[in-house]
Amino acid sequence: MMNNKMKLKNASFNQTRGNYKKWIKWVFSCMIQSKFLFSLLVIIFILGFGIMSSYIFVSSYIYDRFLIYKTDYTELEKYFIMFGYLCITIVLLGLANALFNYLINLITLSIFEKKVCFSLRRKIFKKIQNLTITYFDATPTGELISRSSNDVDNISASAQFISDDVYLFSTIIGNAIMMFLINWLLALSTLWVYVLMIFSMLSLVKKIRKNFFIQQQHVGIVNSFIEERISGVKNIILYNQENKSIEEFAKINQELTDKSLLANAGSTALMPIGFFFVNFSFIPLTGIGITLLVTCPWISNYHHSVIYHYNELPALLIAFTLYCRHLAFPLNEIISTLGQVFLAFASFRRVFDLLDEKEEKDSINAKTLKDIKGVVVANNLCFSYTKDKLVLKNINFVARPNEVTAIVGPTGCGKTTLISLLDKFYTTNEGSLTIDNIPINEITNHSLRENVNIILQDNFLFNTTIRENIRFGRLDASDEQVEEAAKLSYANEFIEKLPDKYETIVTQNGLNLSQGQRQTIAIARALLSNAKIIIMDEATSSIDTKMEKDIQRSMKNLLKNRTAIIIAHRLSTIMDANNILVMSEGRIIESGNHDELMKKHGFYYQLFTSQQKKGMQI
């Protein structure tokens, strides 16, 4: 939990690499891929822009023509004619506006979901597959899930709000243009209030946007906590720590609630501020505007508007009053959706921060391993996760084909780190680590992992059939090859006893199988691959003695033309190894076969005799 807090504290809003121009450019490039729908969207936008901009002008024309201007009609006739025209105008233009608004939302949602969000999910998943192991070490799984799911959902949900805001903003621009065309003086005396409103909100908007970003960070922390507690639910129950988990969740949940309230309170405050400025705009309109029109007709001369010559001053003032009202409506609507828009931008920032992360890439001129022998050599190899502490110190060894090289030592001595370097999960700092005289760092990742296979102590099984879990080692393997690998690993013995045999579905991470059964499937998976180098990290630790001995007997056939490197805690499993590397505090302090090391009466001798005294089976 403290790690999550520290990450949140260090993940400053100003330090993130969000680039709104880049995001908008990318979203636009996705949207224009649907050429027909995007073209239709642009056309509807233009039509809607024209309808909303002309609606008020037509209404003011009707007022000027039939209500105020002197005509040959009687008063009653004028009212009825005006009412009829207004009804026709409101119904036709209103229906057209509603239809265009619906079509804009529908098309935008379709394009956004099919192109933008679909592409985002694909890019995120592809990115996750290519991130470095260092990134996964530092990032909770729940945080990645939050960015892949919650943040993309926020972006998807914002499509309607963003399309509405663009449409409303275009309406504001259209109304402002019409106001200037009708009378520039009244337009200037009115619109400066809205300009003042925008500038006064900018500093507040920046703060609100930051709060939404922090809110989404806390969402990631909550998701990480939930994912961790679900994964470790058995341990929580075993140690009666349910109440502690509930208390910890209540704390981080309260933090998320506080940040959410702060973010939403800020966005909510924009609404009353907007109302104030909108209502305030009528003061200069009715005060300054009218005074100038009455006292300075040579400046304003409402009879000489660019698009229409109003017959009477009241009709012009009615038109501007309506325009002010119709400026207020879209502005208030935009302000009311800013919370969702800011949330979407915060999610965009988090998603693109993930997409900007450094990927695992091959070095320039990296070589492809082909038909290798599998000779592994470490020469003065050093490695550290941080600059101030070496984990591996001057490691030297040679692992050859048809031989078993074992690595033993106490917990934390660097055994697992060493084999991680062999699969290039991390990059060596000093010295060299080579396969067939080719430095690991100069080998392509794909070809390296085709030739180096690690069987972990706790292997992951996928939620599919046993057959497909084994075939994961080589996707083009036939059913016969899959079953042969299962026989060699002795997984076949328990598989054949299952009702569905190889078609048995493995539940999440193999929870419907025993630890030993899961391990034999993982071994079969590795044996099915064409890897020339097999690394076993405590791979037989969860297998019973009989099964372990069966596997050991088959190793001579399995390791033909292969190099085997085995990490073992139970020393009885590596007594026949050709070379045993004894590690302590990041160094190899002894090496040799079992008999040679026992004669030295050194550290290995102490470990072996200690295990014998504790009753570990041989």
Side-chain angles (χ1 to χ4, degrees):
M1 184 58 206
M2 286 302 295
N3 290 337
N4 289 336
K5 286 183 177 179
M6 290 302 295
K7 286 173 187 172
L8 177 58
K9 182 177 179 180
N10 293 331
S12 168
F13 177 80
N14 295 323
Q15 292 174 345
T16 56
R17 299 182 297 279
N19 187 325
Y20 294 119
K21 290 182 180 179
K22 178 181 68 177
W23 304 344
I24 293 171
K25 183 179 179 180
W26 181 83
V27 170
F28 184 75
S29 67
C30 287
M31 294 183 71
I32 60 176
Q33 291 176 12
S34 299
K35 295 181 180 179
F36 173 75
L37 287 178
F38 187 77
S39 301
L40 183 60
L41 182 65
V42 172
I43 293 171
I44 294 174
F45 253 113
I46 294 172
L47 292 175
F49 175 88
I51 288 174
M52 289 300 293
S53 301
S54 62
Y55 167 71
I56 299 173
F57 172 74
V58 173
S59 299
S60 66
Y61 168 81
I62 295 171
Y63 281 118
D64 184 52
R65 182 69 179 83
F66 295 101
L67 180 63
I68 301 170
Y69 185 56
K70 295 179 180 180
T71 64
D72 296 331
Y73 298 109
T74 65
E75 291 295 319
L76 187 60
E77 288 174 334
K78 286 198 301 181
Y79 292 147
F80 272 107
I81 294 173
M82 181 190 69
F83 179 74
Y85 278 125
L86 286 175
C87 286
I88 294 172
T89 302
I90 292 171
V91 170
L92 293 180
L93 296 183
L95 285 175
N97 178 60
L99 176 61
F100 288 156
N101 199 18
Y102 169 75
L103 291 175
I104 287 171
N105 285 332
L106 184 63
I107 296 172
T108 303
L109 285 170
S110 178
I111 297 176
F112 221 76
E113 188 59 43
K114 290 181 179 179
K115 296 299 181 180
V116 178
C117 294
F118 177 83
S119 297
L120 266 184
R121 293 188 185 99
R122 182 176 58 188
K123 287 171 70 72
I124 290 171
F125 189 80
K126 182 180 178 182
K127 184 72 177 186
I128 291 174
Q129 305 306 304
N130 293 306
L131 288 171
T132 63
I133 295 297
T134 305
Y135 180 84
F136 290 106
D137 289 343
T139 307
T141 303
E143 173 66 18
L144 285 174
I145 294 173
S146 179
R147 296 195 189 203
S148 306
S149 178
N150 180 264
D151 285 318
V152 176
D153 287 344
N154 288 339
I155 294 170
S156 177
S158 70
Q160 181 176 349
F161 296 106
I162 293 174
S163 66
D164 283 343
D165 287 351
V166 172
Y167 186 59
L168 292 169
F169 183 75
S170 66
T171 300
I172 293 172
I173 298 299
N175 287 342
I177 292 173
M178 290 296 294
M179 291 171 74
F180 273 101
L181 291 176
I182 292 172
N183 189 280
W184 65 269
L185 183 59
L186 276 179
L188 284 176
S189 63
T190 304
L191 293 177
W192 70 269
V193 177
Y194 294 96
V195 176
L196 178 63
M197 178 185 74
I198 292 171
F199 277 102
S200 66
M201 286 184 172
L202 284 179
S203 58
L204 182 59
V205 163
K206 185 178 179 180
K207 179 68 175 177
I208 294 170
R209 188 158 47 87
K210 178 180 179 179
N211 290 337
F212 274 102
F213 178 75
I214 295 174
Q215 173 193 329
Q216 286 306 104
Q217 286 183 311
H218 279 276
V219 170
I221 289 176
V222 169
N223 288 341
S224 297
F225 183 88
I226 293 172
E227 188 274 334
E228 181 183 62
R229 290 310 189 267
I230 291 175
S231 299
V233 66
K234 289 184 178 179
N235 286 306
I236 293 172
I237 295 172
L238 181 64
Y239 290 99
N240 294 318
Q241 295 298 324
E242 296 92 338
N243 290 335
K244 185 176 185 297
S245 290
I246 292 171
E247 291 173 1
E248 290 180 352
F249 180 77
K251 186 175 181 180
I252 63 172
N253 190 32
Q254 184 61 52
E255 291 175 354
L256 171 60
T257 301
D258 293 341
K259 299 303 179 182
S260 297
L261 286 173
L262 182 62
N264 287 285
S267 64
T268 304
L270 293 174
M271 183 67 76
I273 294 175
F275 273 121
F276 168 78
F277 278 101
V278 167
N279 292 325
F280 181 76
S281 67
F282 287 97
I283 296 177
L285 172 64
T286 57
I288 301 173
I290 294 176
T291 301
L292 289 174
L293 285 171
V294 172
T295 59
C296 307
W298 59 275
I299 295 177
S300 54
N301 202 336
Y302 53 86
H303 292 288
H304 294 87
S305 297
V306 175
I307 57 175
Y308 175 67
H309 295 178
Y310 283 94
N311 296 296
E312 299 291 341
L313 175 60
L316 176 62
L317 297 178
I318 289 174
F320 264 81
T321 302
L322 291 173
Y323 272 117
C324 281
R325 281 296 177 191
H326 280 262
L327 279 175
F329 171 74
L331 274 174
N332 288 330
E333 284 294 306
I334 291 174
I335 292 171
S336 68
T337 63
L338 283 180
Q340 290 294 328
V341 173
F342 290 153
L343 185 62
F345 272 86
S347 293
F348 258 119
R349 170 162 287 193
R350 283 166 49 79
V351 167
F352 275 86
D353 279 351
L354 172 62
L355 296 177
D356 286 340
E357 287 291 339
K358 181 180 178 181
E359 291 187 11
E360 186 180 56
K361 293 183 178 180
D362 295 326
S363 60
I364 299 175
N365 300 321
K367 300 176 182 178
T368 300
L369 288 180
K370 293 181 179 179
D371 301 323
I372 69 168
K373 295 178 181 179
V375 179
V376 179
V377 178
N379 184 26
N380 293 323
L381 178 65
C382 297
F383 175 76
S384 63
Y385 293 104
T386 57
K387 295 181 180 180
D388 56 341
K389 185 178 180 180
L390 281 176
V391 178
L392 299 179
K393 308 165 188 175
N394 298 317
I395 301 296
N396 294 276
F397 71 87
V398 179
R400 297 180 177 87
N402 299 308
E403 291 184 0
V404 175
T405 301
I407 306 174
V408 301
T411 302
C413 67
K415 303 186 297 294
T416 301
T417 299
L418 179 56
I419 65 168
S420 296
L421 293 177
L422 270 171
D423 230 358
K424 212 160 75 169
F425 288 160
Y426 307 100
T427 304
T428 57
N429 300 131
E430 298 178 22
S432 66
L433 183 62
T434 64
I435 296 177
D436 290 359
N437 295 320
I438 304 174
I440 290 284
N441 296 337
E442 296 178 10
I443 301 172
T444 62
N445 296 326
H446 182 76
S447 67
L448 175 67
R449 287 158 194 166
E450 277 189 332
N451 287 279
V452 179
N453 199 305
I454 299 179
I455 305 173
L456 301 172
Q457 183 177 0
D458 186 17
N459 287 278
F460 187 89
L461 297 184
F462 298 91
N463 185 204
T464 183
T465 64
I466 289 178
R467 186 184 302 279
E468 292 307 313
N469 266 287
I470 296 175
R471 203 196 304 273
F472 197 75
R474 193 170 85 239
L475 297 180
D476 61 351
S478 65
D479 288 348
E480 291 75 17
Q481 290 172 319
V482 169
E483 293 173 16
E484 180 62 24
K487 290 176 183 177
L488 292 173
S489 70
Y490 290 86
N492 182 69
E493 292 186 358
F494 85 85
I495 295 174
E496 289 294 338
K497 295 176 183 178
L498 296 173
D500 296 323
K501 298 184 179 181
Y502 284 87
E503 306 311 315
T504 300
I505 298 295
V506 179
T507 58
Q508 184 180 9
N509 202 17
L511 294 180
N512 60 334
L513 301 175
S514 70
Q515 181 70 17
Q517 290 169 338
R518 295 199 295 270
Q519 203 71 313
T520 56
I521 290 176
I523 292 171
R525 178 195 292 170
L527 296 175
L528 185 63
S529 70
N530 291 319
K532 295 295 184 180
I533 301 170
I534 293 182
I535 302 172
M536 304 180 77
D537 185 1
E538 299 281 5
T540 60
S541 62
S542 300
I543 299 173
D544 61 45
T545 305
K546 178 184 179 300
M547 188 174 289
E548 181 180 349
K549 288 183 177 180
D550 287 339
I551 293 175
Q552 288 177 337
R553 281 197 300 267
S554 66
M555 287 294 285
K556 291 181 181 180
N557 294 326
L558 299 175
L559 296 179
K560 187 177 182 180
N561 298 322
R562 291 187 180 186
T563 302
I565 299 175
I566 300 175
I567 290 181
H569 174 68
R570 191 161 46 177
L571 301 184
S572 61
T573 62
I574 48 91
M575 289 176 60
D576 295 329
N578 301 90
N579 189 26
I580 301 173
L581 309 176
V582 185
M583 295 189 66
S584 178
E585 297 182 355
R587 300 180 185 274
I588 296 177
I589 58 175
E590 294 177 350
S591 64
N593 61 36
H594 173 76
D595 292 335
E596 291 171 345
L597 292 172
M598 290 298 290
K599 290 178 182 178
K600 291 181 180 179
H601 287 264
F603 190 67
Y604 178 83
Y605 173 84
Q606 295 175 12
L607 288 175
F608 188 83
T609 54
S610 174
Q611 288 188 6
Q612 281 186 310
K613 289 178 182 179
K614 291 178 181 179
M616 288 193 173
Q617 295 178 341
I618 300 179

